Amino acid sequence: MLIEEIKEHANRISETVISYRRHLHAHPELSFKEYETSAFIKERLNELEIEWQPMAGTGVVALIKGEQSSDKVIALRADIDALPVTEANAVSYASQNNGVMHACGHDVHTSSLLGTASILQSIKHRFAGTVKLIFQPAEEVLPGGAGIMIKEGVLDNPKPAAVFGQHVSPFIEAGKIGIRKGKFMASMDEIFVIIRGRGGHGAQPHRNIDPVMIAAQMLVGLQQVVSRIANPTMPTVLSFGKVIANGAINIIPDEVYMEGTFRTLDEKWREEAHERMKKMATGISESMGGSCDFTISKGYPYLVNDERLTEQVSAYAEEYLGKENVEAADIWMAAEDFARYSQLTPSCFYLIGVGNKEKGITSSLHTPTFNIDESSLVFSTGLMAYIAIKQLGN
Ligand code: NI
């Protein structure tokens, strides 16, 4: 009965939710600068007569109170920011903000949560408890909007007993979700390295200290932290995507600059790996006559899905979507600042399928051709409303 009512409402508003998504997609804004996005969210909440307050600059927090009595509170979170990517999709709602694109689907998360809000608001006489809506800025850029919102009290007054979030996945077909209990997404740290040698003529290596060769040894050496020191059962990734040795054919430079990322799923190992990498980088540099500055900037923690809560969400999703449409997700070594909520409050973060192989919608997140099958929105809006109502004990 409840499911049918929610599904009917989700269908009825699906065109509206798609129009929200297209508007947000056409007007993407970078992290911490989501001014128009924030205004759009507030306007929609005003239309729905849902009370809201600003938080963390461009963030918005709103409350929907069920009319039956209960102190129970749960929170639903959507991130709202876009990426510095130039859109390559030739669609009517393509980005009008040159060089900025919703290439991670946060337009979908935001429009979907507005749709969920519409459903919950329309049936608030039917449920007990409070739903807190969290429209969070700046997921894509450290230090991340989640930490700021938590500092500003998003998890207090009223304090949610659980937080739920979703992320689009183009590798899961629209109409399905992917879910995993326990450790789900990686911690993420940024690594910045300056290797110092002594540049000179490429013909006279004996007179120089070659930072390019130090860099080469270091790149290979550091991978041993992953392959020889990490416990093989602990997922660990180290990747360097930027290596700049700005010499020339016959000029050895003074310095090499590198940037990389380190990811894992255990706090103790994370700390140990940091120390091991610093030690190894310093040792390799010094053994070759050079030196290095090895700086690690700590990013998001790993994301853990509360076991019991995630089992419950899986069951709700099976009821709502059908058992065959709830897939087991693998560990995903991407990072998410939803992890910060998960470290403080029992949480569940799941993947909502937006892919469609038949329609050719398969591009990865963070690419200029990323897009979604918009039929997924009717599922994402309704499912989240159903999860909220069920979780509040209705
Ligand atoms: Ni994302």
Side-chain angles (χ1 to χ4, degrees), residues 28-331:
E29 295 174 292
L30 291 175
S31 310
F32 296 112
K33 293 178 182 155
E34 308 93 337
Y35 306 110
E36 286 180 29
T37 307
S38 182
F40 182 83
I41 293 164
K42 292 165 189 166
E43 281 164 27
R44 302 290 81 76
L45 292 172
N46 286 343
E47 284 168 5
L48 292 167
E49 298 178 350
I50 295 172
E51 276 178 51
W52 54 266
Q53 63 178 93
M55 194 177 277
T58 46
V60 184
V61 180
L63 291 178
I64 301 174
K65 289 180 187 148
E67 285 171 7
Q68 296 170 32
S69 154
S70 162
D71 292 335
K72 203 158 180 196
V73 183
I74 61 109
L76 308 176
R77 175 272 206 176
D79 43 8
I80 68 173
D81 56 328
L83 284 163
V85 171
T86 300
E87 176 149 25
N89 293 312
V91 290
S92 59
Y93 52 89
S95 170
Q96 294 172 23
N97 188 356
N98 201 14
V100 183
M101 176 186 173
H102 269 295
C104 199
H106 299 186
D107 52 340
V108 180
H109 309 158
T110 302
S111 50
S112 179
L113 188 54
L114 287 169
T116 301
S118 161
I119 297 172
L120 292 172
Q121 179 72 345
S122 77
I123 55 171
K124 66 179 179 178
H125 59 286
R126 294 268 314 266
F127 71 87
T130 300
V131 179
K132 186 178 256 193
L133 308 171
I134 303 174
F135 294 92
Q136 181 215 298
E139 189 281 325
E140 298 286 359
V141 173
L142 293 182
I148 299 170
M149 288 195 109
I150 290 167
K151 264 192 207 134
E152 293 188 10
V154 77
L155 296 181
D156 312 306
N157 299 327
K159 182 178 170 56
V163 185
F164 302 90
Q166 60 184 347
H167 202 292
V168 296
S169 172
F171 304 124
I172 299 174
E173 292 285 289
K176 295 175 183 279
I177 69 157
I179 190 164
R180 180 184 188 85
K181 60 182 175 180
K183 293 180 177 182
F184 177 39
M185 293 179 70
S187 62
M188 182 269 287
D189 303 308
E190 298 179 342
I191 304 176
F192 305 90
V193 193
I194 303 168
I195 299 166
R196 299 201 166 83
R198 189 173 63 237
H201 201 301
Q204 300 165 338
H206 59 297
R207 293 187 188 275
N208 313 324
I209 294 167
D210 186 349
V212 181
M213 285 310 296
I214 297 174
Q217 297 288 348
M218 196 183 292
L219 287 171
V220 176
L222 288 172
Q223 286 303 328
Q224 311 309 311
V225 174
V226 178
S227 74
R228 300 291 84 178
I229 301 172
N231 184 326
T233 61
M234 173 53 59
T236 305
V237 172
L238 175 66
S239 298
F240 282 88
K242 187 182 251 189
V243 179
I244 301 174
N246 200 15
I249 290 170
N250 55 1
I251 301 168
I252 290 168
D254 282 324
E255 288 182 1
V256 170
Y257 180 72
M258 311 200 296
E259 290 179 0
T261 180
F262 179 80
R263 287 149 193 264
T264 190
L265 287 146
D266 180 85
E267 281 303 309
K268 200 163 154 266
W269 161 237
R270 183 186 187 187
E271 294 303 323
E272 187 192 335
H274 288 182
E275 287 315 306
R276 291 281 199 148
M277 289 190 290
K278 279 182 195 165
K279 223 178 200 172
M280 189 176 276
T282 308
I284 289 171
S285 302
E286 287 176 357
S287 72
M288 295 174 75
S291 65
C292 78
D293 291 343
F294 195 92
T295 310
I296 299 175
S297 167
K298 276 185 86 171
Y300 305 151
Y302 71 85
L303 189 156
V304 60
N305 276 335
D306 183 82
E307 304 249 343
R308 216 181 114 241
L309 205 58
T310 305
E311 279 168 12
Q312 289 169 339
V313 171
S314 293
Y316 305 151
E318 287 183 2
E319 288 162 19
Y320 194 87
L321 300 171
K323 209 175 165 90
E324 67 284 4
N325 292 320
V326 179
E327 298 180 354
D330 208 350
I331 284 175

